[in-house]
Amino acid sequence: DTTVKQNPRYKLARVGKPVNLICSQTMNHDTMYWYQKKPNQAPKLLLFYYDKILNREADTFEKFQSSRPNNSFCSLYIGSAGLEYSAMYLCASSSGTGDTQYFGPGTRLLVL
Amino acid sequence: GDSVTQTEGPVTVSESESLIINCTYSATSIAYPNLFWYVRYPGEGLQLLLKVITAGQKGSSRGFEATYNKETTSFHLQKASVQESDSAVYYCALGETANYGNEKITFGAGTKLTIKP
């Protein structure tokens, strides 16, 4: 099973409120990634977890937090949502050096 | 930083016609990045279509082909005869190895392809 699951598929949030998105995989992959995708733009890497080590991209360092309580689950957390956070959020996972990344279906977040 | 530029969509092609989606890349942090084409079919997640890690080599999958051209920094996607089931969004991407051996991927903006029956 090469499925990456994301919950919820759609999320409506209010400006200033927190948002928590969930991703899971059962492939025992050591690395899990979060990307942000806005319309007509490329998916942009936000952060990734290698095992228990979190790596956040420099330009989004302070905007997103993440946790990985175990190998299978990884969350993306926004402490205070702004309108600019409205986007599709894609989770992916991979295992080993140079391995293919497997993507989930995405969570569409709308902030009002 | 790294960047990928591809044919701006939407692109519409008639069934059984040939297709080319252009892709050029700029890799500032690595001389020989891995190159990919990903595809997202309607209602599904992104999935790898093909990958090439060696300059000069060609990758192929599902009738699609792309050749890693280091001289022109290009990785164009081609298919000789498209089918209606090829309608999807196609993303060109490059990858560089991160600290842990995993891959950090930089995507292009995607090209939405519609095949007319």
Side-chain angles (χ1 to χ4, degrees):
Chain A
D1 181 13
T2 56
T3 303
V4 176
K5 294 183 169 59
Q6 293 189 240
N7 287 298
R9 295 292 307 276
Y10 301 91
K11 174 73 176 176
L12 182 63
R14 296 295 181 188
V15 170
K17 297 297 185 183
V19 176
N20 198 43
L21 307 180
I22 304 293
C23 177
S24 66
Q25 50 88 15
T26 55
M27 297 174 277
N28 200 33
H29 282 170
D30 51 26
T31 311
M32 295 184 74
Y33 308 79
W34 282 100
Y35 294 82
Q36 182 190 63
K37 167 95 176 65
K38 294 187 174 183
N40 301 316
Q41 296 184 23
K44 176 181 165 54
L45 180 66
L46 299 176
L47 54 90
F48 68 89
Y49 256 104
Y50 173 75
D51 195 15
K52 293 180 171 57
I53 303 170
L54 174 60
N55 299 265
R56 289 183 285 179
E57 293 297 288
D59 55 348
T60 55
F61 189 87
E62 295 182 349
K63 294 186 175 182
F64 299 93
Q65 187 52 271
S66 182
S67 66
R68 192 175 186 187
N70 56 56
N71 177 269
S72 299
F73 287 86
C74 187
S75 68
L76 182 70
Y77 181 75
I78 301 167
S80 176
L83 296 177
E84 71 276 14
Y85 287 88
S86 292
M88 174 76 83
Y89 289 87
L90 303 174
C91 176
S93 69
S94 70
S95 179
T97 302
D99 186 44
T100 299
Q101 290 186 25
Y102 293 90
F103 282 81
T107 294
R108 189 174 296 278
L109 173 65
L110 179 62
V111 181
L112 299 175
Chain B
D2 300 339
S3 66
V4 176
T5 303
Q6 62 182 101
T7 299
E8 193 171 323
V11 172
T12 301
V13 178
S14 297
E15 198 165 26
S16 77
E17 294 290 307
S18 63
L19 167 74
I20 180 166
I21 300 176
N22 291 323
C23 173
T24 56
Y25 67 90
S26 172
T28 57
S29 54
I30 183 171
Y32 292 92
N34 296 335
L35 299 179
F36 311 84
W37 278 98
Y38 276 82
V39 59
R40 183 172 62 82
Y41 297 104
E44 299 183 18
L46 268 176
Q47 56 186 276
L48 181 67
L49 179 61
L50 57 88
K51 173 181 179 178
V52 180
I53 65 172
T54 305
Q57 296 295 309
K58 180 169 68 177
S60 60
S61 174
R62 306 180 203 178
F64 288 90
E65 296 181 338
T67 300
Y68 189 162
N69 190 320
K70 172 66 175 171
E71 287 69 37
T72 59
T73 63
S74 65
F75 192 56
H76 307 318
L77 183 68
Q78 301 183 71
K79 188 171 187 181
S81 176
V82 296
Q83 303 169 329
E84 202 171 344
S85 57
D86 294 326
S87 294
V89 183
Y90 293 81
Y91 294 88
C92 184
L94 67 83
E96 61 171 284
T97 303
N99 293 342
Y100 311 99
N102 62 309
E103 206 150 36
K104 289 178 63 174
I105 296 180
T106 299
F107 286 92
T111 302
K112 183 174 182 180
L113 173 67
T114 301
I115 306 301
K116 289 192 304 184

